[in-house]
Amino acid sequence: MVEDGVLRSAAFGEFSKDYVMFLHVTTMIEGRKDDELLMRVGGAGFPHIVVMDVDGSVVREHAAAPTVEAFKDSGAVGKQRLALRKKAAAGDRDAILEFALARATAGQITSRKLAREIARAGDLTPAEQERYRKTLTTLRFDEAKIYAQGAWFVRMLADGLVPEGPEKQTPFFLEILKWAEFSEDVATYERALKEMRRMHGEDPRAAEFFAMADEKLAELKAGAAAAAAK
Amino acid sequence: MRTWALLLALAASAAAQDLEANLEKKLAKPFFKNAAWITDFDEAKRKAKELKKPIFAYFTRSFAP
């Protein structure tokens, strides 16, 4: 196991000096501060290892084997990504393109967001268009797998076919929420959230979930308003 | 949004004192002493800004092996 192996090694101790080391333990203790942080940073299993910027945004997810050498590689990529983001924020056209493609490849942005970022970069050369096409294809392929069930459930909902009981309705509306977030569909997101709140709104263990969902709903509404204003 | 955590939370039934004990056990493991781990997210971000260093974050769990 990682904790009894590489994290105890002298090489890891040395490696750690180049970073601020953050250890997050998901405990399931009710009301514990940031206990749901793994979910917020997009983690889906344990252990989850990432490089973050100083604001706590993920810039690199470590997907390779848990070795110090591989951690060094992830750290280096993370640092490069940070430099790229800085340039992109300053309006550097090449950096906007590279940063968007890198985030898309890492699964950190949706295909919709990628398209918006690419548009910011302006006209693409044929070689850049080809890179964009390949990245988009992979992303859309992955998204099809992730959101297929939600899309199916949305069609069921439109047909008035809602399963009975919280055991089936909870995953049903959770998948719809995922799909609606991805699709930036405010009305569907709001509807599914309302159903989730009806079932679990009084459960204190779900408080963090609803706080995040409300935040996301506000974000979706702001995005829709901004798009409508254009 | 990752939604599995809600399902996990709703299914969790371990007693609160067991969960606290599990966390203590986790933080007593030898790896915790091998680096200057910070366990508070806000404190980690504050330190990262102060030192101008990126954060290396390791997410684990104490509620199950």
Side-chain angles (χ1 to χ4, degrees):
Chain A
M1 196 179 171
V2 180
E3 290 163 22
D4 296 324
V6 65
L7 298 192
R8 287 178 61 176
S9 70
F12 184 80
E14 198 57 36
F15 162 82
S16 74
K17 292 173 185 168
D18 290 336
Y19 298 85
V20 168
M21 303 299 288
F22 172 55
L23 171 69
H24 182 270
V25 185
T26 301
T27 65
M28 307 302 286
I29 295 171
E30 199 178 309
R32 183 170 175 268
K33 181 175 175 257
D34 291 331
D35 208 55
E36 310 270 348
L37 188 62
L38 175 72
M39 180 171 67
R40 293 211 299 269
V41 302
F46 300 100
H48 185 65
I49 300 168
V50 294
V51 178
M52 294 171 158
D53 66 10
V54 297
D55 295 314
S57 296
V58 174
V59 289
R60 171 73 173 180
E61 183 175 331
H62 181 79
T67 65
V68 173
E69 284 311 306
F71 290 155
K72 283 180 184 172
D73 289 344
S74 282
V77 172
K79 286 175 182 175
Q80 283 168 8
R81 196 76 56 80
L82 283 170
L84 204 54
R85 189 179 69 178
K86 200 173 172 182
K87 279 186 179 178
D92 182 308
R93 181 257 177 209
D94 290 348
I96 290 171
L97 177 69
E98 293 303 327
F99 187 54
L101 291 176
R103 292 180 75 204
T105 303
Q108 292 176 334
I109 54 174
T110 64
S111 53
R112 285 167 183 268
K113 174 84 175 164
L114 173 63
R116 285 198 288 265
E117 291 298 310
I118 293 297
R120 278 182 63 215
D123 292 337
L124 304 184
T125 66
E128 288 168 345
Q129 279 174 3
E130 182 57 15
R131 285 181 63 207
Y132 172 45
R133 193 191 63 78
K134 281 185 178 171
T135 306
L136 186 63
T137 303
T138 305
L139 196 54
R140 293 284 292 274
F141 180 78
D142 292 342
E143 287 173 348
K145 287 186 287 183
I146 296 168
Y147 301 108
Q149 198 174 39
W152 184 264
F153 288 167
V154 166
R155 285 199 293 276
M156 283 178 66
L157 187 64
D159 292 339
L161 302 172
V162 177
E164 287 185 5
E167 278 188 12
K168 284 186 178 171
Q169 284 189 3
T170 298
F172 181 77
F173 284 110
L174 280 174
E175 289 299 326
I176 290 176
L177 272 178
K178 268 169 58 178
W179 179 90
E181 179 185 340
F182 164 70
S183 307
E184 300 171 4
D185 181 337
V186 178
T188 303
Y189 193 92
E190 206 158 18
R191 162 95 194 269
L193 184 56
K194 190 178 168 189
E195 296 290 348
M196 288 298 292
R197 193 164 259 126
R198 173 181 58 74
M199 291 185 284
H200 304 293
E202 301 300 314
D203 189 333
R205 294 169 301 179
E208 178 82 9
F209 168 81
F210 285 114
M212 284 174 56
D214 286 337
E215 216 172 273
K216 179 52 67 180
L217 177 60
E219 194 184 304
L220 289 174
K221 283 182 174 175
K230 276 184 186 171
Chain B
M1 178 194 302
R2 304 287 178 174
T3 49
W4 61 270
L6 174 69
L7 296 172
L8 208 57
L10 296 174
S13 60
Q17 63 267 34
D18 290 345
L19 296 175
E20 294 282 0
N22 288 345
L23 174 59
E24 281 177 29
K25 209 188 291 180
K26 173 68 78 172
L27 297 180
K29 290 181 85 167
F31 85 89
F32 190 62
K33 295 181 181 66
N34 194 36
W37 292 107
I38 295 172
T39 57
D40 181 274
F41 193 38
D42 292 329
E43 173 60 13
K45 289 185 280 186
R46 192 197 62 72
K47 196 81 178 168
K49 278 177 189 154
E50 180 193 318
L51 300 177
K52 294 186 172 60
K53 284 183 179 181
I55 298 169
F56 182 89
Y58 175 74
F59 290 80
T60 183
R61 63 182 171 181
S62 61
F63 61 88

